[in-house]
Amino acid sequence: MTDQSASNAPVQSALQGKLRPPAVSLSILGWLRANLFNNWYNSVITLVLLWLLYVLIPPIFQWLVSDAVWWAAPPEVCRAAGGACWAFIHEKARLILFGLYPYDEQWRPALSVMLLLGLIGASLNRFFWNAWLIAAWIVGGTIIGCLMAGGVLGLPPVETSRWGGLPLTLGLATIGLAVAFPVGIVLALARRSTMPAIRTVSIVYIELIRGVPLITILFMSSIIIPLFLPTGVGIDRVLRAQIGMIMFASAYLAEVVRGGLQAIPGGQYEAADSLGLGYWQKMRLIVLPQALKISIPPIVNTFIGFFKDTSLVIIIGLFDLVGAAKSALTDPSWRGFYKEAYFFIAVIYFIFCYFMSWYSQYLERTLNRDVRR
Amino acid sequence: MTVETHPHRAPIPKGRWLYDARVRSVLYQTLLVVILVAVGWYLISNLLVNLERQNIATGYGFLDREAGFEISESLISYGAADSYGRAFIVGLLNTFQVAILGIVLATILGTLVGIMRLSSNWLLAKVSAVYVEIMRNIPLLLQLFIWYAIITVSMPSPRAALQPFTGLVLSNRGIQMAVPAADPIHPWMWAGLLIGIGLAIGIKIWAKRRQDATGQPFPVALTAAGVIIGLPLAIWVLGGAPTEMSIPELQGFNFRGGRTISPEFAAVLFGLTFYTAAFIAEIVRAGILAVSYGQTEAAAALGLRSNMIMRLVVLPQALRIIIPPTTSQYLNLAKNSSLAVAVGYPDLVSVGNTTLNQTGQAIEAISIFMAVYLSISLSISAFMNWYNKHIALVER
């Protein structure tokens, strides 16, 4: 044994540093071999997939880009071209984005959306996380409200039944989440309360809302709420939908927050107690910050789901993005361009949702105070 | 020391009873209940006034009245002369049909995509990832509209229908399939299938007992498949082996014969399946990743091939992590089937909505929706909890 290894030693040292690793583990070929053709069935799968992509991608590209009509054009030109008709989007963009809002006043929803996106953008930056942000939201929200509703500063009033498109989608989602989040936290705390009456009320509310589809809650808010109000008192249709969305979102957020609360070790509560903190101090300073940090991923999932679910208001007759796109499709001279309309909407939703999930991952990384091993 | 009965509780100073946790607890709860009762009483008294003013009778008596509207597809016989109650049942069965099929298909597709995302094949993994991202980030309702438009607008008219092979016809009227022509033997074959499934479950239980007792394995999968397929097959042969098929044929403006899958049903089924499958795929992927890699290495060291490692070692452990979140996806799918109303598939909500518009019985109709969906939710979670308990890890 020792003899053999001794006799091999000069050969090994001679080889060392002279021979490169085999080419298959270094070059592009090597990568292909390792990742696409490492055994016979993977090779088959790769070839089938390549063939599928070859069949699918060029026609889609052709339709989307090369055969498409990009400039403003009448529908006949589009039908002759055979590709995507972006002229339809040119023509209908304002209807899809702003719904039935009066044409001449559409700078107002446009400005509101920009203002809202600016506020959201600022709120996402940790640099701005201080008391001024709340002030900015109050001022911004008031300006957006005045812009949309009008009736002040010489702006003609626009009733909510004409609101639609992107401002409606974003507004329902933002206000819905802004109200539902604190309500959800209170519900989650109530569900973990030691007081039986408070706990029961919270459990019944959460399970009732989570057990039924959002549509039935929207129907309830749009049809039943008016029945429960005293004669002569009416609530605006958009506001009713908003109430339904808030009821729905708060029940889901409550369960997510409860999950985070359950993950906080009992020692944290005991430590807070031993410091002599009261219930609300304990929750606000010790428990909730940790619980909310743990539940960032499911909270964002709920946010994304809720943002997508705002599309359901079309069923009770509001013109959100999807509703406005469908109404754009009913124009007889532009009939049949549903692919373009749906693609346009789908891209808008995709960008928002994808951005939200990207941001949640970023937030998780930066808020992670744990010592990493 | 001897005087104090509660050594940890400081005596309450006089006049400060409000600071006692027990007093506060009772106070808060009483306050909550009083507020709830007051608000509830106020709302209900408004409701009664409003209903009286609008001349709407309360109660479920309307369920016996004649509905007077047609339903485009139903699993049981239904006509406009039937009652609202029967219309609700038709809608309920339609909801069940699409939800159950959707759950089965989404589970299969989702599991496949989830495993594919972990494939060592880079291209396959990327294609699956793109599928998941696209499906998850676009609202289901929009996807339903897209499927519906693809079927009704992009597909050719019945006259120019696509026929990939005889017996399958694709057109804007839906999908037509050839099915065996009606024969008196069919009910017996269904009965045979049910008995076969029952026998297979019995064999599985018996085989598990025997293996626990003696260590002897039994080829359960093969026997079960044999029983489930063999029994109906035997009945079919005994019944004279009828082979007549009902093939869809163009007659006038539409197809006759075969079984039709309507565009509405297809759109709802495709939408629910592809959307939910993306979520299930992520759950499956996370579940598989959560099984420690040492398990895979240990199995490989024993000489198992990679597909056997997946089937015998990784998946059984991953299932324990996968089942609970998958349950909530099943619940979501069942609830999301209510979106069928948007493309005109006559599910429970759609039928209920028509009823509500015709009769004005809003409270009753919506209470029926809620009761039905609540019971569906509770039954699915009860079943899945039972199953979860059944397969959960029993640690000593």
Side-chain angles (χ1 to χ4, degrees):
Chain A
M1 285 288 270
T2 42
D3 286 353
Q4 255 183 349
S5 61
S7 65
N8 277 343
V11 182
Q12 277 173 355
S13 64
L15 283 175
Q16 241 156 28
K18 294 211 169 157
L19 280 186
R20 299 176 65 226
V24 287
S25 62
L26 282 180
S27 59
I28 298 173
L29 266 179
W31 183 88
L32 284 177
R33 177 127 185 231
N35 291 297
L36 296 178
F37 299 101
N38 54 352
N39 53 37
W40 70 266
Y41 62 82
N42 262 344
S43 308
V44 172
I45 291 173
T46 305
L47 291 177
V48 170
L49 276 177
L50 283 177
W51 176 78
L52 265 179
L53 291 178
Y54 171 75
V55 170
L56 288 175
I57 301 278
I60 291 177
F61 179 79
Q62 215 174 11
W63 181 81
L64 269 179
V65 182
S66 53
D67 282 356
V69 176
W70 284 92
W71 63 94
E76 296 74 40
V77 178
C78 276
R79 288 186 220 278
C85 181
W86 302 124
F88 170 75
I89 302 296
H90 268 282
E91 175 77 17
K92 298 290 180 187
R94 288 177 71 168
L95 176 59
I96 296 175
L97 288 177
F98 303 123
L100 303 173
Y101 210 85
Y103 196 81
D104 293 334
E105 303 291 326
Q106 283 181 355
W107 60 272
R108 283 157 52 182
L111 196 61
S112 304
V113 166
M114 278 188 266
L115 204 58
L116 186 61
L117 290 180
L119 279 171
I120 294 172
S123 315
L124 295 180
N125 191 339
R126 296 186 67 198
F127 179 74
F128 294 110
W129 287 2
N130 53 41
W132 286 105
L133 194 62
I134 299 169
W137 270 102
I138 293 169
V139 173
T142 317
I143 295 175
I144 291 172
C146 293
L147 273 174
M148 289 299 291
V152 287
L153 298 172
L155 295 171
V158 177
E159 62 272 37
T160 56
S161 59
R162 305 198 65 169
W163 295 10
L166 194 57
L168 188 66
T169 296
L170 286 178
L172 281 175
T174 316
I175 298 175
L177 289 174
V179 179
F181 195 55
V183 175
I185 291 177
V186 171
L187 280 170
L189 292 175
R191 191 164 182 170
R192 284 173 57 82
S193 159
T194 49
M195 301 177 221
I198 288 179
R199 194 171 60 232
T200 313
V201 168
S202 168
I203 290 177
V204 168
Y205 175 83
I206 291 173
E207 295 303 331
L208 205 64
I209 303 279
R210 277 163 44 93
V212 299
L214 174 56
I215 288 199
T216 57
I217 295 172
L218 286 176
F219 276 141
M220 195 189 72
S221 64
S222 83
I223 299 168
I224 298 202
I225 287 183
L227 288 177
F228 279 109
L229 294 176
T231 319
V233 178
I235 300 187
D236 180 79
R237 219 156 54 112
V238 176
L239 186 59
R240 291 202 305 259
Q242 182 75 78
I243 293 172
M245 302 292 297
I246 289 170
M247 287 172 69
F248 175 78
S250 59
Y252 276 77
L253 282 170
E255 283 300 272
V256 170
V257 173
R258 182 167 75 109
L261 288 174
Q262 279 175 350
I264 304 300
Q268 298 286 328
Y269 291 85
E270 287 163 15
D273 285 338
S274 71
L275 287 175
L277 298 183
Y279 178 80
W280 290 107
Q281 280 177 316
K282 176 166 71 178
M283 289 302 158
R284 191 168 58 83
L285 299 173
I286 310 281
V287 177
L288 275 176
Q290 301 182 64
L292 293 181
K293 196 196 81 183
I294 305 174
S295 29
I296 286 176
I299 286 177
V300 175
N301 276 342
T302 315
F303 278 20
I304 294 176
F306 182 73
F307 181 70
K308 287 187 294 177
D309 282 341
T310 54
S311 60
L312 297 197
V313 294
I314 185 184
I315 288 172
I316 52 168
L318 300 188
F319 284 97
D320 73 317
L321 269 177
V322 180
K326 274 187 84 80
S327 75
L329 285 169
T330 55
D331 183 341
S333 55
W334 290 93
R335 189 156 283 168
F337 293 111
Y338 69 91
K339 283 187 213 133
E340 291 81 354
Y342 289 156
F343 185 82
F344 184 57
I345 303 293
V347 167
I348 295 178
Y349 273 106
F350 184 87
I351 291 172
F352 276 106
C353 295
Y354 198 81
F355 176 76
M356 274 195 259
S357 80
W358 172 85
Y359 178 75
S360 104
Q361 284 161 23
Y362 155 82
L363 205 58
E364 246 177 278
R365 278 196 309 275
T366 55
L367 288 186
N368 193 355
R369 295 270 169 95
D370 299 346
V371 181
R372 254 162 279 177
R373 272 174 287 215
Chain B
M1 285 292 260
T2 46
V3 185
E4 280 282 338
T5 44
H6 297 288
H8 299 296
R9 186 177 284 281
I12 304 157
K14 264 187 190 167
R16 305 209 57 185
W17 52 271
L18 196 58
Y19 291 89
D20 185 359
R22 282 168 303 177
V23 176
R24 284 195 158 196
S25 155
V26 172
L27 200 68
Y28 289 149
Q29 297 188 62
T30 320
L31 205 65
L32 179 76
V33 172
V34 167
I35 291 174
L36 282 180
V37 168
V39 171
W41 181 81
Y42 172 72
L43 292 178
I44 288 172
S45 61
N46 281 336
L47 174 71
L48 294 177
V49 170
N50 284 329
L51 289 180
E52 199 176 353
R53 203 167 45 88
Q54 296 175 12
N55 274 326
I56 301 175
T58 48
Y60 294 87
F62 73 100
L63 287 176
D64 294 328
R65 296 215 311 268
E66 184 185 310
F69 60 87
E70 293 283 351
I71 297 178
S72 57
E73 50 194 299
S74 71
L75 291 173
I76 53 174
S77 70
Y78 172 84
D82 280 316
S83 68
Y84 282 117
R86 195 168 175 89
F88 267 107
I89 292 173
V90 169
L92 182 64
L93 288 177
N94 281 339
T95 293
F96 277 144
Q97 192 188 15
V98 80
I100 291 172
L101 265 175
I103 285 177
V104 172
L105 294 179
T107 309
I108 297 170
L109 181 64
T111 313
L112 269 178
V113 174
I115 294 175
M116 270 156 54
R117 236 190 128 166
L118 291 171
S119 163
S120 58
N121 187 320
W122 180 86
L123 195 60
L124 190 62
K126 282 288 169 278
V127 168
S128 318
V130 168
Y131 167 85
V132 168
E133 287 302 338
I134 290 180
M135 288 293 159
R136 283 202 311 173
N137 288 328
I138 294 174
L140 174 60
L141 188 70
L142 187 55
Q143 296 193 28
L144 288 186
F145 286 142
I146 292 173
W147 282 113
Y148 190 60
I150 288 175
I151 296 168
T152 54
V153 185
S154 293
M155 286 290 199
S157 68
R159 285 183 178 283
L162 298 173
Q163 249 174 324
F165 49 87
T166 317
L168 182 73
V169 184
L170 307 171
S171 72
N172 59 11
R173 300 290 174 83
I175 303 164
Q176 265 91 12
M177 288 184 305
V179 288
D183 195 275
I185 200 74
H186 287 162
W188 295 103
M189 285 174 68
W190 284 113
L193 183 72
L194 284 181
I195 296 171
I197 292 173
L199 274 179
I201 295 172
I203 290 171
K204 165 110 170 85
I205 294 170
W206 170 80
K208 186 177 184 326
R209 281 216 191 112
R210 197 178 76 138
Q211 190 170 5
D212 286 349
T214 66
Q216 297 279 320
F218 188 80
V220 177
L222 265 178
T223 335
V227 173
I228 292 174
I229 299 168
L231 217 57
L233 202 68
I235 295 173
W236 179 69
V237 172
L238 282 177
T243 51
E244 199 195 334
M245 297 289 277
S246 164
I247 295 166
E249 277 164 21
L250 190 63
Q251 280 181 358
F253 292 107
N254 214 338
F255 282 95
R256 290 282 166 78
R259 165 126 170 71
T260 305
I261 297 173
S262 71
E264 292 80 19
F265 180 78
V268 174
L269 184 63
F270 290 169
L272 286 175
T273 302
F274 285 104
Y275 183 77
T276 315
F279 289 86
I280 293 182
E282 282 301 272
I283 294 168
V284 169
R285 183 173 73 104
I288 292 174
L289 283 179
V291 176
S292 100
Y293 195 66
Q295 297 281 336
T296 310
E297 288 173 330
L302 288 175
L304 295 185
R305 299 234 188 88
S306 66
N307 64 336
M308 289 179 85
I309 296 177
M310 184 54 97
R311 191 161 57 87
L312 296 175
V313 178
V314 177
L315 271 185
Q317 298 185 66
L319 269 185
R320 303 201 165 110
I321 308 160
I322 290 170
I323 299 259
T326 308
T327 310
S328 20
Q329 288 308 322
Y330 289 169
L331 282 178
N332 282 343
L333 190 147
K335 284 189 283 172
N336 283 337
S337 70
S338 62
L339 295 188
V341 66
V343 291
Y345 174 69
D347 77 323
L348 178 72
V349 172
S350 169
V351 170
N353 204 24
T354 313
T355 307
L356 188 159
N357 288 332
Q358 282 189 4
T359 60
Q361 306 275 5
I363 308 249
E364 290 82 1
I366 288 176
S367 71
I368 292 176
F369 294 164
M370 294 206 160
V372 166
Y373 281 104
L374 274 177
S375 14
I376 293 177
S377 299
L378 293 177
S379 341
I380 291 184
S381 50
F383 173 75
M384 292 310 280
N385 281 341
W386 169 81
Y387 183 62
N388 189 28
K389 208 170 281 172
H390 183 68
I391 64 155
L393 192 62
V394 183
E395 283 185 280
R396 267 175 272 267

